[in-house]
Amino acid sequence: MHEKEYGIINSELIYNGPVKLRLDTFRVNGKIFTKEVVEHNASVGIIPITNNGEIVLIKQYRHAVDEYLIEIPAGKIENEENPIEAAKRELEEETGYRGELTPLTQCYLAPGYDTEMMYLFIAKDICKEDNSLLKDDDENISNMIVKLDDALCYCFNGYIRDCKTITAILLYYTSFNKTK
Amino acid sequence: MHEKEYGIINSELIYNGPVKLRLDTFRVNGKIFTKEVVEHNASVGIIPITNNGEIVLIKQYRHAVDEYLIEIPAGKIENEENPIEAAKRELEEETGYRGELTPLTQCYLAPGYDTEMMYLFIAKDICKEDNSLLKDDDENISNMIVKLDDALCYCFNGYIRDCKTITAILLYYTSFNKTK
């Protein structure tokens, strides 16, 4: 692939909020394109593993898709946090657990039009804290503790249908099986 | 978890294009929230497997994240297409291959604020067509043919950092190893 001629002609902010929308006009190899770009903070996702090797997942209602989904705990990095600080906070807010965090990988969720990059972590040696006051008001969340083989099955049969959650479960499963 | 009291109060369309943005106000358990919702067509992603068991990936520049990324071929479902028709079209447009498609799973990419649901397929018995005229003008795409073990390694070491691509590779790897 040769380097292409590329330049931004205009960038218009359409909406400014927790989720932003820009309309960018840019030139590639002499042709002009206009595309929407969704701007979203970088974020974190955590796969918490109990001392029995089970996975702590959460079930929550997602307004955007009008469904209850089963997901790993996750959320956006707030200003001045680094990824591991955000991961500790989200893990505790969403599941009530604390644990030892190790980076797993990082990935874009929808890079065709969305800037969000998610940092994934494994949490081990987890223990439950009494932190019922920490939960975000708009998050009706309940925990589910799931065996690894069941979690894997849910990734294939559509019971889990959140991409970051499938990625995290399969990364953990694959690394677990490689080191056995 | 008990059912919550839930109702939409207002939904305002902020921007209407290939990517849409709404601002929804809704009530949950007596409290009122306002959230952005990104509306995006459902989409398809395809993991093409050669007769040697290698994976065909694509490398393309992504304006939203200002990076070249390695991804599975993917794209949105156009009006009046069903997922498998869209998957055949995207596979051919982006890689030049045709093949036999089998559904793998389906998942949301960023369900906290984005409606996009992606249908994932495996393509087998693939063969290359001469279709250099089909490529979208704004897609500077090149193919990469990668061994399964290398693809797996790239999912862990950050060389591949697109969530749907990691999901598709690991689903294929896991199902392949389970049936060996």
Side-chain angles (χ1 to χ4, degrees):
Chain A
M1 180 163 25
H2 26 239
E3 268 320 282
K4 62 189 175 186
E5 176 259 331
Y6 176 76
I8 292 183
I9 296 168
N10 187 47
S11 183
E12 179 190 358
L13 186 63
I14 303 281
Y15 177 83
N16 192 358
V19 178
K20 297 176 177 54
L21 185 72
R22 320 193 299 256
L23 194 60
D24 284 1
T25 304
F26 53 99
R27 186 192 314 267
V28 182
N29 294 336
K31 290 198 174 184
I32 291 174
F33 300 94
T34 297
K35 278 200 168 177
E36 297 87 3
V37 175
V38 174
E39 280 188 32
H40 190 280
N41 277 22
S43 58
V44 293
I46 310 100
I47 180 161
I49 310 294
T50 70
N51 288 336
N52 295 329
E54 295 173 319
I55 301 174
V56 182
L57 296 171
I58 59 178
K59 187 169 181 181
Q60 65 186 319
Y61 178 76
R62 289 303 207 169
H63 170 76
V65 300
D66 191 21
E67 280 189 48
Y68 282 89
L69 293 182
I70 297 165
E71 301 177 46
I72 54 170
K76 72 180 173 190
I77 300 175
E78 303 290 351
N79 300 333
E80 304 185 14
E81 278 182 329
N82 61 41
I84 202 160
E85 289 165 346
K88 284 181 182 171
R89 178 183 50 72
E90 287 290 348
L91 175 62
E92 188 164 356
E93 280 179 10
E94 296 201 336
T95 67
Y97 283 92
R98 289 183 188 166
E100 288 304 310
L101 299 189
T102 311
L104 190 53
T105 196
Q106 62 194 71
C107 55
Y108 293 107
L109 300 188
Y113 61 96
D114 189 329
T115 63
E116 183 176 1
M117 157 71 87
M118 181 171 279
Y119 296 83
L120 290 170
F121 294 87
I122 291 188
K124 292 193 172 174
D125 295 325
I126 59 173
C127 59
K128 186 99 178 178
E129 303 292 321
D130 175 21
N131 56 1
S132 49
L133 296 177
L134 284 179
K135 288 207 173 185
D136 289 352
D137 274 343
D138 65 336
E139 301 191 280
N140 261 349
I141 292 179
S142 59
N143 285 358
M144 290 175 61
I145 295 183
V146 177
K147 288 182 183 155
L148 180 54
D149 281 346
D150 289 341
L152 195 71
C153 183
Y154 299 158
C155 292
F156 281 93
N157 72 10
Y159 187 56
I160 291 176
R161 43 191 187 156
D162 171 53
C163 197
K164 67 179 177 296
T165 301
I166 300 176
T167 280
I169 290 170
L170 292 177
L171 282 171
Y172 173 65
Y173 176 82
T174 307
S175 60
F176 179 79
N177 277 285
K178 286 191 122 178
T179 56
K180 257 200 310 198
Chain B
M1 179 162 25
H2 26 239
E3 270 318 282
K4 62 189 174 185
E5 177 258 330
Y6 176 77
I8 292 183
I9 296 168
N10 187 48
S11 182
E12 180 190 357
L13 185 65
I14 304 281
Y15 177 82
N16 192 358
V19 178
K20 297 177 177 54
L21 185 71
R22 316 192 302 254
L23 194 59
D24 285 1
T25 304
F26 52 99
R27 186 192 311 268
V28 182
N29 294 336
K31 290 198 172 184
I32 291 174
F33 300 94
T34 297
K35 277 198 171 179
E36 297 86 4
V37 176
V38 174
E39 281 187 31
H40 190 280
N41 278 22
S43 58
V44 292
I46 309 99
I47 180 161
I49 310 294
T50 70
N51 289 335
N52 295 329
E54 294 172 319
I55 301 174
V56 182
L57 296 172
I58 59 177
K59 187 170 181 181
Q60 64 186 320
Y61 177 76
R62 289 302 206 170
H63 170 76
V65 300
D66 191 20
E67 278 189 49
Y68 282 89
L69 294 182
I70 297 165
E71 301 176 48
I72 54 169
K76 71 179 171 189
I77 300 175
E78 303 291 351
N79 301 333
E80 304 185 14
E81 278 182 329
N82 61 38
I84 203 161
E85 289 165 347
K88 284 181 181 169
R89 179 183 49 72
E90 287 291 347
L91 175 63
E92 188 164 355
E93 280 180 10
E94 295 200 338
T95 67
Y97 283 92
R98 288 182 188 167
E100 289 303 310
L101 299 190
T102 312
L104 191 53
T105 195
Q106 61 194 73
C107 54
Y108 293 108
L109 300 188
Y113 60 96
D114 189 328
T115 63
E116 183 176 0
M117 157 73 87
M118 181 171 280
Y119 296 82
L120 290 170
F121 295 86
I122 290 188
K124 292 194 173 173
D125 294 325
I126 60 173
C127 59
K128 187 99 179 179
E129 303 291 320
D130 175 20
N131 56 1
S132 50
L133 296 178
L134 285 178
K135 288 207 174 185
D136 289 352
D137 273 342
D138 65 335
E139 302 191 279
N140 260 347
I141 293 180
S142 59
N143 286 357
M144 290 175 61
I145 295 183
V146 177
K147 288 182 182 154
L148 180 54
D149 281 346
D150 289 341
L152 194 72
C153 183
Y154 299 159
C155 292
F156 281 93
N157 71 10
Y159 187 56
I160 291 177
R161 43 190 185 155
D162 171 53
C163 198
K164 67 179 178 294
T165 302
I166 300 176
T167 280
I169 291 169
L170 292 177
L171 282 170
Y172 173 65
Y173 176 82
T174 306
S175 61
F176 179 79
N177 276 286
K178 284 190 126 179
T179 56
K180 256 200 311 197

